[in-house]
Structures are given as structure tokens and as C-alpha cells.
Amino acid sequence: MKKTVSLLLVLLLNAAALTACGAQKQDLVSKTPFPEFSETDTQGNSITDDIFEDYDITIVNFWNNGCGTCIAEMPELEEMYQEFQKDKINLIGVGADCGESEEQLQLARSILEEKGVTYQNIVPNPENDFYKEFIADITGYPTTYVVDHEGNIIGAPLIGNVKEQMDTLQKRIDHIREDEEK
């Protein structure tokens, strides 16, 4: 009898604990500042982190010249970019290695042209803090971040092909939209 009462008590306490957890909607999406940067794009135009202010959401895709997955997904990203523009969502690329030499930059330009990319692509200078303190720590490509209009990264980076992670991407976009409505 004692065992039955003890078991029943444990079950009731667990049920109460689970109910309490479910009663509160918890916001588990992290929010960290995107690093400041002042760079140029592949066309030689200046670009800074102020770009985030111009859009509700900016998707930042880090890629490099030697990454087959990165290059293969560029047409998909271009399609998304064209669609997203209607909703004040921007997409920019960061050619992680295209600032290392003139040859790397020319190769990046060639890849972007071949893939029909029209979204802006940053050429990070390896001597700048943006490269040294952020890009150098990226361990896999492609790596994509979702950034709100205040310049905050929303959630963990998406590693790999973005289109294969559309559910996660959409949840991040929805999360930002919900925060804007509050």
C-alpha cells in the first residue's frame, strides 16, 4: 500500500511539474549581436552592419570558393532572395575567402556570375576584426545566420544547404515577425 501511495504521489508531482512547464510559453531562441563590420562587396561598394536597419530580416550566408555545396545552393538562394524582397527580407552573401587575394576575388566574381547571383556579396578583409574574430571561427560552409533589423542573430547558425532547412529558417523569420508585433 505504501508503495502504491508513493508511486501515485510521484506521478502526481511529475504531472504537476509538466503542466507547469507547459503553461508558460518559453522563448528558447537565442539573440546575440552580429559583429560590426565595414567592408566592400564584390563590386567594390562599401557595406557595413548598418544594412540590417534597412530590412526587417537579413539572411547572411557565409560561403567560400572551394565549397561545392555553397556554390550548388546559390541559384536556390537567388530564388529566395527574389521572393524575400517582397517581405522586406534581405539576403547577403559573405565570400569568406574572396578577400584573401585578387585571384580569390576574381574566382568569386566568376562563380557568382555563372550562378546568376544578384544579391550583394561581402569581400571580408582578412586583416579586419570581422574576419579575425568571427569569420575565422566558422568551422563549416555554408553557414547561414538570420539577423533582425536591430542587428541581432536569431538562433543558432544553419550549417549546410539552406533550402533543406526551410522549416527552421521559417521559424526564425516567424519569431522575428512575432517580436515586431509585440
Side-chain angles (χ1 to χ4, degrees):
M1 178 75 175
K2 267 187 170 179
K3 283 184 180 181
T4 305
V5 171
S6 293
L7 181 60
L8 186 57
L9 186 57
V10 168
L11 288 173
L12 285 172
L13 288 173
N14 282 336
L18 291 174
T19 302
C21 289
Q24 293 179 333
K25 183 182 177 205
Q26 296 207 350
D27 184 1
L28 298 177
V29 176
S30 65
K31 193 174 188 179
T32 56
F34 194 89
E36 293 180 11
F37 65 88
S38 180
E39 302 286 347
T40 59
D41 68 9
T42 54
Q43 304 307 308
N45 303 307
S46 292
I47 182 171
T48 70
D49 53 300
D50 290 341
I51 194 168
F52 301 130
E53 297 171 3
D54 298 336
Y55 299 90
D56 295 339
I57 299 162
T58 302
I59 297 162
V60 185
N61 176 260
F62 288 83
W63 62 282
N64 69 43
N65 290 335
C67 170
T69 302
C70 301
I71 295 166
E73 81 170 343
M74 286 179 176
E76 296 168 351
L77 293 174
E78 177 64 27
E79 281 181 38
M80 288 175 16
Y81 169 68
Q82 296 300 328
E83 268 309 299
F84 285 155
Q85 289 291 295
K86 301 170 193 169
D87 297 322
K88 281 202 69 149
I89 299 174
N90 193 22
L91 188 145
I92 58 176
V94 180
D97 58 353
C98 65
E100 294 175 3
S101 68
E102 186 60 33
E103 292 79 23
Q104 290 287 70
L105 177 57
Q106 291 307 321
L107 179 56
R109 287 178 177 153
S110 172
I111 291 167
L112 294 168
E113 183 178 337
E114 179 184 315
K115 294 298 177 178
V117 171
T118 63
Y119 54 87
Q120 198 167 23
N121 273 269
I122 297 172
V123 179
N125 181 336
E127 298 302 314
N128 291 348
D129 288 344
F130 179 50
Y131 186 92
K132 290 179 187 177
E133 297 174 9
F134 190 77
I135 297 172
D137 291 336
I138 294 175
T139 58
Y141 293 93
T143 295
T144 304
Y145 293 89
V146 179
V147 182
D148 69 13
H149 71 280
E150 294 174 348
N152 295 306
I153 297 170
I154 305 302
L158 304 174
I159 312 295
N161 182 288
V162 173
K163 195 166 188 174
E164 293 174 6
Q165 302 176 70
M166 282 304 291
D167 287 346
T168 303
L169 180 64
Q170 190 61 53
K171 286 177 187 173
R172 304 257 170 87
I173 291 169
D174 293 344
H175 178 80
I176 293 170
R177 295 281 191 216
E178 288 170 10
D179 275 358
E180 289 175 352
E181 292 173 3
K182 291 180 183 177

